[in-house]
Amino acid sequence: MKQYGLRGGILGAALLGLGLGVAAEASAVGAPPDPTALIDDAFVEDVRAMLSEEIVIRSVEFQNALYGRMSGAEIASLDRTWRAEREARRQPLITRRLSSPLSIYLLRIQAQSLGLFTEIFVTDANGLNVGQSAVTSDFWQGDEDKFQLTFDEGADAVFIDVAEWHEGSATWRAQLNLTVKDPATNRPLGAATFEVNLTELLRRGPQ
């Protein structure tokens, strides 16, 4: 079984050769790589370990208590505010999320991955953002498979989406989605999405 060391040794693993290799370039111009083959059980468990940290659990629990079970109209209002702020000079809602301890934690994970993770975000039980490594296009993820096939399916649910070509970086990417759960009670709290650079993961090879 591969040992990625994503939790404690992601920086060391990432230093094993920089730049794209020939094999990765070949896969990029040909058929897309299989995300479910590359993102194996060991990889998923390393990501689960990151999500079991207290900063994640406490942040999601706090927002669940703050918002409770919101109505569709309330969720839509928050989502509209988020989308409007993306185009505005004043961004109080976005700023609060990006400056939160959870967002800083997720940003650090992304930075230390040296290109392996290209986006990370965590949502609450309503599917609303709690923290993210960068500004997401919307605030509510509850209408998408990343939430409905994880949180709605239970504490241990995992959904790996299809590979997509990212033109700007010439890389294949796929989203690894998991339920965020209380490690003590196994109770679902929210969901998390890690966008994985498959081209980089393929280049690194078995660890």
Side-chain angles (χ1 to χ4, degrees):
M1 179 176 286
K2 299 176 186 177
Q3 296 298 321
Y4 294 92
L6 297 177
R7 187 183 190 188
I10 192 168
L11 181 58
L15 292 174
L16 295 177
L18 298 175
L20 294 175
V22 174
E25 290 177 354
S27 74
V29 298
D34 180 3
T36 60
L38 292 172
I39 303 173
D40 62 10
D41 291 344
F43 192 103
V44 172
E45 287 309 308
D46 278 336
V47 170
R48 282 198 188 281
M50 298 177 194
L51 295 175
S52 69
E53 293 291 337
E54 185 173 6
I55 183 62
V56 180
I57 305 305
R58 297 292 171 259
S59 296
V60 178
E61 286 182 332
F62 176 81
Q63 184 157 305
N64 283 340
L66 179 66
Y67 285 156
R69 298 303 296 177
M70 302 183 72
S71 68
E74 291 171 324
I75 289 173
S77 177
L78 280 172
D79 197 47
R80 284 195 300 270
T81 298
W82 181 275
R83 291 169 182 267
E85 285 188 6
R86 282 175 52 85
E87 310 300 326
R89 294 184 61 182
R90 289 190 68 255
Q91 301 177 317
L93 179 59
I94 291 176
T95 299
R96 286 198 302 272
R97 288 298 176 274
L98 288 179
S99 61
S100 72
L102 177 57
S103 291
I104 294 169
Y105 171 72
L106 298 177
L107 179 60
R108 187 170 72 247
I109 290 175
Q110 180 174 324
Q112 290 178 340
S113 78
L114 295 182
L116 183 60
F117 297 130
T118 55
E119 183 180 30
I120 309 171
F121 52 91
V122 171
T123 65
D124 63 14
N126 290 301
L128 295 166
N129 288 3
V130 182
Q132 59 271 313
S133 61
V135 180
T136 53
S137 58
D138 45 18
F139 188 49
W140 184 50
Q141 319 299 333
D143 59 339
E144 300 183 32
D145 285 347
K146 61 174 63 74
F147 184 82
Q148 295 175 356
L149 297 181
T150 55
F151 179 81
D152 289 347
E153 294 295 323
D156 299 317
V158 176
F159 167 59
I160 301 173
D161 212 339
V162 298
E164 295 186 355
W165 177 252
H166 187 261
E167 190 71 33
S169 61
T171 57
W172 288 103
R173 299 180 179 183
Q175 290 186 341
L176 166 62
N177 308 280
L178 310 89
T179 302
V180 175
K181 61 182 180 180
D182 185 328
T185 64
N186 210 43
R187 178 171 55 91
L189 301 173
T193 294
F194 284 67
E195 186 176 71
V196 181
N197 182 339
L198 298 177
T199 303
E200 173 63 13
L201 183 56
L202 182 64
R203 183 193 67 79
R204 295 183 187 185
Q207 301 297 317

